[in-house]
Amino acid sequence: MFEAGLSVSIYLVNSIAGSNYMQKFLRGKYQKKFVLFAWTSLYFIVQGLILERFSRTNPLNDFVAMLADIAVILLLQMLLYKKDLSGQFFVTVSFVAGKEIIKYVVSVSAAIWCNMILFFVDPNTMKTSEQAALLKLGLEFSMYIICILLYALMITAYLSAIGKKFILKEYPLKAYEYTFLILPSIATLCVSITLKMMIVSVENGIAATMFEEVPATMFWVPLICFLLLGVNISSVTLFQKLVQLGEEERKRVILENQLVQIQREIEEIQDIYADMRGLRHDMRSHLESIAAFIRKTSGKDREELNNYIGKMETTINRLDFVYRTGNPITDVIIHQKKQEAEKWHISFEADFTYPDKQQIDVYDIGIVLNNALENAIEASSKVEGGKSISLRSYMKGNLFFIEVENDFSGELVIDNETGLPVSSKKDRQLHGVGMENIQRCAKKYMGDIDMTICDMEDKKRFSLTIMMYERHFTPQIS
């Protein structure tokens, strides 16, 4: 009596759960609500009109129905979602594998429930046929409710677990990674087909289920099904961990290379800075001697020599750094970034003092300034009209703060896992480590970074604050 209703209810659950699952991984061609409604409606209709016929008429009904199910889902994905073959196939196979294997857990649970009811209520004790019919109706209705609720709960939990564990959904899969990811679901489908072949047997014209002939299978089959579902979820979790470890290793290598490069540049800067100081001193001494000689001359020659000396003084003044921070390395970095900002017509202001009393390595300060100012220049360069960057530093007790503010346009996307901005560049695997390098340096000195966004009249203002303090400093509790 309730068999048709059970099938329709399962089709509806599959359609709703499947549409939400697809939405987590794939990008729709149309508006989200339309894609969800279209996928749910079409898949519900297809299950009732096409897949049901396959399962009833074809001799190889189980295998053909499974292939038809996969083909239908892939076709709907091609119609409603943007092209992503590897992602679409993984989503399809994992979805079909889950709903096929969950059916066995539900069927065994329903059988156990029926046996429990019959254990307490013996049909043979019924005095009238009306009581027996009422008992049968109650059993069928309760089994129907249990099957629907348990199936909906399990398929939702299974798909939600995979959706949550599969964090890096836009990660480009390599061949061996894709094989590792898809094989557990394929194995689950193979086990499902095998169970279907074994679950019903006909002997002497009488059909009997595997659970009736071997009662122990009522324990082992659900256990195997739960383990298969767990393997599918665990494979996704393990895959994500491996990808994250690979990303960390890649970023560590990039950071190490940057450190080596910055150290070499800093050593060269120190030598150049020392030579420039000596050069400026010698040149000014020569200019003073020449100027003294010029004072003794007169006429047109004196005027021409004065103009020439003035140009030389202007050239020498260009060798002086506008900002004197107390350390030659930070002087050069800020001077270089100021010149770079001016090329983009960006107003640059700095009030920075190197914390010479703190035991903070100048290399780390250099990494922070270099990356922070580079990000600020890149963001400000995309802003139309007037734009500016400001840098300042200050001390609060033993804490050293660096603040960088800049104008920017567009949207700032924050990664849910790292809490850092996602790079807007196309090749995110080669870029986007600047902010992470800043955070690494801050945490090296038991600090951290903080980001705030303020809406101005026609643009936005991004503020980055880096807090650092000396590693061996122990805060005192007042």
Side-chain angles (χ1 to χ4, degrees):
M1 179 177 179
F2 295 100
E3 183 178 354
L6 179 62
S7 298
V8 172
S9 300
I10 289 179
Y11 294 159
L12 182 61
V13 171
N14 288 339
S15 301
I16 297 174
S19 63
N20 292 324
Y21 185 57
M22 306 296 161
Q23 200 72 33
K24 293 179 180 179
F25 287 87
L26 307 176
R27 295 181 178 180
K29 294 181 179 179
Y30 315 102
Q31 292 184 355
K32 181 179 179 180
K33 292 183 179 180
F34 173 78
V35 173
L36 288 172
F37 176 77
W39 202 98
T40 302
S41 303
L42 292 174
Y43 188 58
F44 177 75
I45 295 172
V46 168
Q47 287 180 102
L49 297 181
I50 300 178
L51 300 182
E52 182 69 18
R53 292 178 179 272
F54 266 110
S55 63
R56 289 181 178 178
T57 59
N58 199 289
L60 299 175
N61 55 346
D62 300 327
F63 183 69
V64 173
M66 183 194 70
L67 292 181
D69 195 6
I70 293 175
V72 166
I73 295 175
L74 289 174
L75 179 60
L76 291 178
Q77 289 176 345
M78 292 175 61
L79 293 175
L80 299 174
Y81 295 97
K82 295 181 180 179
K83 185 178 180 181
D84 181 12
L85 297 179
S86 61
Q88 289 173 345
F89 190 71
F90 166 75
V91 172
T92 301
V93 174
S94 60
F95 171 65
V96 174
K99 70 186 186 69
E100 288 296 323
I101 209 70
I102 288 173
K103 291 178 181 178
Y104 296 104
V105 180
V106 173
S107 62
V108 172
S109 300
I112 293 174
W113 170 256
C114 183
N115 291 334
M116 288 176 59
I117 296 297
L118 294 177
F119 178 79
F120 292 102
V121 181
D122 188 357
N124 297 324
T125 61
M126 297 296 170
K127 296 181 180 181
T128 62
S129 59
E130 289 79 6
Q131 290 179 342
L134 186 61
L135 175 62
K136 181 181 178 182
L137 182 64
L139 280 175
E140 290 180 354
F141 181 74
S142 61
M143 288 176 62
Y144 167 76
I145 297 298
I146 289 175
C147 288
I148 294 301
L149 293 179
L150 184 59
Y151 182 81
L153 178 63
M154 290 190 64
I155 192 69
T156 303
Y158 167 75
L159 297 179
S160 298
I162 292 181
K164 290 180 180 179
K165 296 297 182 181
F166 207 127
I167 301 172
L168 304 175
K169 295 180 176 64
E170 296 183 358
Y171 176 80
L173 294 171
K174 300 179 178 62
Y176 69 92
E177 294 173 333
Y178 185 73
T179 303
F180 171 81
L181 200 58
I182 203 73
L183 277 180
S185 296
I186 295 177
T188 301
L189 289 174
C190 293
V191 172
S192 174
I193 295 173
T194 304
L195 287 175
K196 284 185 178 181
M197 294 178 179
M198 297 172 56
I199 201 167
V200 178
S201 60
V202 179
E203 190 172 337
N204 298 327
I206 300 175
T209 64
M210 176 176 60
F211 305 123
E212 295 172 344
E213 296 186 354
V214 186
T217 55
M218 297 188 71
F219 168 77
W220 290 110
V221 169
L223 178 61
I224 292 172
C225 293
F226 277 116
L227 290 176
L228 289 171
L229 295 174
V231 168
N232 290 345
I233 297 173
S234 299
S235 64
V236 172
T237 305
L238 180 59
F239 169 74
Q240 292 296 292
K241 294 296 182 182
L242 292 175
V243 171
Q244 290 172 355
L245 288 175
E247 287 291 299
E248 289 295 324
E249 179 65 19
R250 179 188 62 81
K251 291 177 181 179
R252 184 187 64 81
V253 172
I254 293 176
L255 177 58
E256 288 180 352
N257 292 336
Q258 286 186 348
L259 287 174
V260 172
Q261 182 179 359
I262 289 175
Q263 287 176 352
R264 291 175 180 173
E265 292 177 353
I266 286 174
E267 291 174 358
E268 294 176 357
I269 287 171
Q270 287 176 319
D271 294 337
I272 295 173
Y273 190 82
D275 293 340
M276 288 173 61
R277 291 179 62 184
L279 177 62
R280 290 197 302 268
H281 181 269
D282 294 340
M283 290 293 292
R284 285 199 170 93
S285 298
H286 291 310
L287 288 176
E288 289 176 0
S289 300
I290 295 173
F293 174 75
I294 293 174
R295 294 188 190 99
K296 299 178 182 179
T297 63
S298 60
K300 184 178 180 182
D301 292 338
R302 179 176 179 177
E303 183 179 352
E304 290 179 354
L305 286 172
N306 278 327
N307 292 333
Y308 181 73
I309 294 299
K311 293 179 180 179
M312 289 185 65
E313 288 180 343
T314 301
T315 302
I316 293 174
N317 290 332
R318 291 178 60 187
L319 297 177
D320 286 331
F321 294 134
V322 178
Y323 304 105
R324 298 184 180 276
T325 65
N327 187 283
I329 295 172
T330 52
D331 286 354
V332 173
I333 292 175
I334 296 175
H335 180 74
Q336 180 186 5
K337 296 304 177 183
K338 179 180 183 299
Q339 290 182 327
E340 186 177 343
E342 289 175 348
K343 291 179 182 179
W344 291 97
H345 306 288
I346 302 172
S347 175
F348 188 95
E349 296 180 358
D351 181 14
F352 184 90
T353 303
Y354 178 75
D356 55 346
K357 295 182 179 180
Q358 298 293 105
Q359 296 184 13
I360 300 178
D361 198 328
V362 68
Y363 293 132
D364 295 323
I365 297 291
I367 291 172
V368 170
L369 289 176
N370 194 59
N371 284 284
L373 293 176
E374 184 177 345
N375 290 341
I377 292 172
E378 181 182 354
S380 299
S381 64
K382 300 176 183 179
V383 177
E384 297 181 357
K387 43 205 171 185
S388 64
I389 296 174
S390 65
L391 164 69
R392 75 186 190 103
S393 68
Y394 56 91
M395 296 289 301
K396 282 189 176 181
N398 286 281
L399 300 178
F400 177 63
F401 290 88
I402 301 175
E403 287 186 355
V404 179
E405 292 186 0
N406 62 272
D407 298 315
F408 84 104
S409 59
E411 297 295 331
L412 189 67
V413 180
I414 302 297
D415 189 282
N416 293 329
E417 184 180 0
T418 63
L420 299 176
V422 178
S423 175
S424 60
K425 298 180 180 178
K426 293 183 178 180
D427 194 349
R428 295 182 181 179
Q429 290 189 339
L430 296 178
H431 300 93
V433 296
M435 194 68 72
E436 189 167 341
N437 288 345
I438 296 173
Q439 189 179 58
R440 286 174 185 263
C441 290
K443 289 186 175 182
K444 181 178 178 182
Y445 296 91
M446 296 182 290
D448 207 342
I449 65 174
D450 180 62
M451 296 168 289
T452 57
I453 301 174
C454 298
D455 291 325
M456 310 298 286
E457 294 181 357
D458 56 346
K459 54 189 173 183
K460 300 177 183 178
R461 191 75 175 171
F462 178 80
S463 176
L464 172 66
T465 303
I466 303 101
M467 182 191 75
M468 309 169 74
Y469 57 91
E470 193 268 314
R471 286 182 293 175
H472 303 293
F473 168 72
T474 303
Q476 296 180 355
I477 301 176
S478 57

